[in-house]
Amino acid sequence: MWDGDPGAVIRALIERLDNPLAYFISGGQRVYWLYFFWAILIALVFFVRAAPGKVSLWTFLRFAFPASVYWSRSARVDYGWFLFCRPIFVLLLLPPMLLLAPALSVAFQSGLRASVPGLQDTITSSTLLVGLYTVVAILVSDFAGFLTHSLQHRIPLLWEFHKIHHSAEKLTPMTVYRMHPVDDLLLMVIAGVFLAATTAFFQFVAIGPLSMISAFGVNIFFVAFLLFGANLRHSHLWIDYGPSISRWLISPAQHQIHHSDDPRHRDRNMGLLFAFWDRLFGTLFVPDGREEIRFGLAGGEEREYSNPVKLFWLPFHKLIGRRGWLAASSGGLIAVGLVGLSFASTTVMLSEPQSYGVHLEDLTWLEVDGMIKGGKRTVLVPTAGHEQNGPHVVLGKHHHVVRFASERIARELGDTLVAPVVTYVPEGGIEPREGHMRFPGTISVPTETFESILEYTARSLRAHGFEKICFVGDSGDNQDSQARVARRLNAEWKDEPTRVIHVDAYYASNGQMEWLIEQGIPKEEVGRHAGVRDTSEILYVHPEGARPDRFFESAHDGMRGVNGDPTRASAEIGRKMIELKVSAAVEQIRAAGDAAADRAASR
């Protein structure tokens, strides 16, 4: 699930529009300075091998950065396109790019929940799973790039837009940005679908948070590709990996062949990182030595693309003149669709606060106001406790569990937000120390204080327009107070639409004990505190909060605050425990809503 941040969107737009140097100081960009540095080192190695005994700084600079390439008309068009034209297209493309992938991921996860619910949260996050996710993501991403590139060459309408990239007569690292926005849009959509499906699947089956191995926020394999020669693909330097490696990885020389106007090289080497896609589809060309190449388009057509403005408009002009009005209209529709998609995406990100999350503490007052007016009038008030949980579980266990579960409940209900967790609750006498207060770190407040906090939390939420206020308590000592406050407020508000619900099913009748006994775990091992249930839940929602090396010493040790056997705990059991709590709470809240509707209809 993605929680959008419109401020981040605006900052990203401003960074790319206001500061072109951002491309050179961001590790996620192809032209990051470190990638350039490594490309120069690689070029130096090849230069030394090609010209032993003749090496000097001056001769290397003339070899690596000849003016005939880097100050050619073609290169100046590259620079102009990057500096003056491309920022305009950032405004069109960045908003849908930031919105599309998370929206698709949510859609795919919803589909997975509906079709294969038994797979959800079935694999514990581990180094192996993270590594597998990283590898699959780069393979899927690279195939999406290969597929997009193939379509751009095979479909005449798309080729007219892709021509601007191939119109470069000299290749420089900036040629990578010589792409029409229609090209970028196509790649964004195809890669977005493939990567969103991949991400959705891995996050769906993983227990706990999952991320790929990355550097600079980018898949580590793609960073390796960028470090080792990616910028030399668009250059005059012939760097070949040799026949064996070139059957697996696309070398800079192979990509230069792709830019050749020679018919032998046409539509070859479509891959980005891996050559086996080209091998599989019959488009691989592995050179057996240095190839004499002329960059550009067949018949000298590249001379028509003489300035940045033409790079944008010429494809449409050619579609009108050469492909007929139907093709031209299609191209026009693509352009209009691009602008429309950008406008719609920006509007959604700036005006749809529900995509930002469900926790009030993560929202602005303006966003909350919009959500309430949009129909989100149910709010959960989670209550936890800051108490000892034996030597093996952190004091904040209830907070982690109830916050996690409340988010699941809110998303399941759909029209619901979550108030901050009420953490300070009755935990026993302070002087003398009684109950959980016997253990250092526990914090306790009087019952009347806790009930007052609940009451005025509910009154505050009612004043803002919430009509269904649900107390969700993760601790046994909270339950009676929640019930009393709910009764008092409901009596006071009996003639108003606002209702307070003590969601006791979440804690008292969630079916956890019955399920665990069915799995062969005796009731005494399940225990009442810091045993199988509590420990499993924290292993699932916040594994850093458990100390597995202390499970054995904690088992059944009442003197140390434990009742039950945590050695039987697991994240898989924790997943089921949370599922049962969430299901029980959702069912009770929905039933309360149906009952309220029936009462209103009978008046």
Side-chain angles (χ1 to χ4, degrees), residues 389-451:
N389 291 283
H392 63 289
V393 172
V394 295
L395 292 155
K397 174 202 70 181
H398 285 304
H399 183 282
H400 290 295
V401 169
V402 78
R403 191 178 193 277
F404 182 95
S406 293
E407 179 171 332
R408 288 282 181 93
I409 295 166
R411 294 195 183 280
E412 186 75 20
L413 291 169
D415 62 347
T416 303
L417 297 176
V418 182
V421 178
V422 179
T423 301
Y424 300 138
V425 306
E427 296 288 5
I430 298 175
E431 292 180 353
R433 293 189 298 167
E434 297 173 336
H436 292 302
M437 277 299 300
R438 293 176 294 128
F439 300 90
T442 301
I443 298 174
S444 184
V445 300
T447 298
E448 56 271 20
T449 301
F450 174 55
E451 292 186 7

Side-chain angles (χ1 to χ4, degrees), residues 100-314:
L100 180 65
L104 286 172
S105 184
V106 169
F108 281 122
Q109 288 209 45
S110 297
L112 288 167
R113 280 195 295 271
S115 55
V116 284
L119 281 179
Q120 186 170 14
D121 298 337
T122 54
I123 304 177
T124 303
S125 290
S126 63
T127 303
L128 179 61
L129 186 63
V130 168
L132 182 62
Y133 175 37
T134 306
V135 171
V136 172
I138 195 64
L139 289 172
V140 167
S141 175
D142 199 59
F143 178 74
F146 171 83
L147 175 61
T148 304
H149 203 172
S150 298
L151 293 175
Q152 289 164 337
H153 279 254
R154 305 293 186 189
I155 298 176
L157 184 147
L158 296 177
W159 171 239
E160 288 297 349
F161 294 102
H162 191 57
K163 270 184 185 177
I164 78 160
H165 184 64
H166 283 267
S167 67
E169 300 169 76
K170 303 290 186 180
L171 301 186
T172 74
M174 300 308 294
T175 305
V176 73
Y177 292 109
R178 188 181 180 127
M179 302 288 288
H180 198 281
V182 171
D183 267 6
D184 287 332
L185 178 63
L186 182 67
L187 177 61
M188 177 188 74
V189 172
I190 292 177
V193 170
F194 277 79
L195 282 173
T198 303
T199 299
F201 175 78
F202 276 93
Q203 290 182 343
F204 182 74
V205 301
I207 295 175
L210 179 70
S211 60
M212 67 179 67
I213 304 171
S214 62
F216 312 117
V218 180
N219 187 303
I220 192 68
F221 290 105
F222 193 70
V223 170
F225 161 72
L226 295 173
L227 281 172
F228 295 103
N231 284 305
L232 297 173
R233 293 158 58 88
H234 295 107
S235 76
H236 63 292
L237 303 176
W238 180 268
I239 296 179
D240 186 11
Y241 294 160
S244 298
I245 297 177
S246 295
R247 288 172 53 81
W248 297 95
L249 299 173
I250 296 289
S251 68
Q254 282 173 282
H255 190 72
Q256 291 163 21
I257 284 170
H258 176 76
H259 276 267
S260 168
D261 70 347
D262 191 321
R264 295 183 306 121
H265 303 149
R266 187 170 299 147
D267 301 336
R268 297 301 188 100
N269 299 339
M270 304 281 193
L272 182 63
L273 280 76
F274 302 115
F276 42 71
W277 308 123
D278 284 292
R279 239 186 322 139
L280 184 62
F281 291 93
T283 55
L284 183 65
F285 186 100
V286 178
D288 55 6
R290 178 68 185 254
E291 296 266 343
E292 292 300 323
I293 295 175
R294 177 187 175 277
F295 300 132
L297 298 168
E301 188 183 351
E302 68 277 351
R303 288 189 291 272
E304 298 179 40
Y305 299 81
S306 56
N307 63 64
V309 175
K310 282 189 175 181
L311 292 188
F312 180 71
W313 290 113
L314 204 54

Side-chain angles (χ1 to χ4, degrees), residues 351-372:
S351 66
E352 290 290 337
Q354 68 267 25
S355 65
Y356 310 153
V358 297
H359 294 281
L360 294 182
E361 62 208 64
D362 296 331
L363 301 167
T364 69
W365 73 262
L366 192 63
E367 291 159 3
V368 174
D369 185 56
M371 290 181 173
I372 294 171

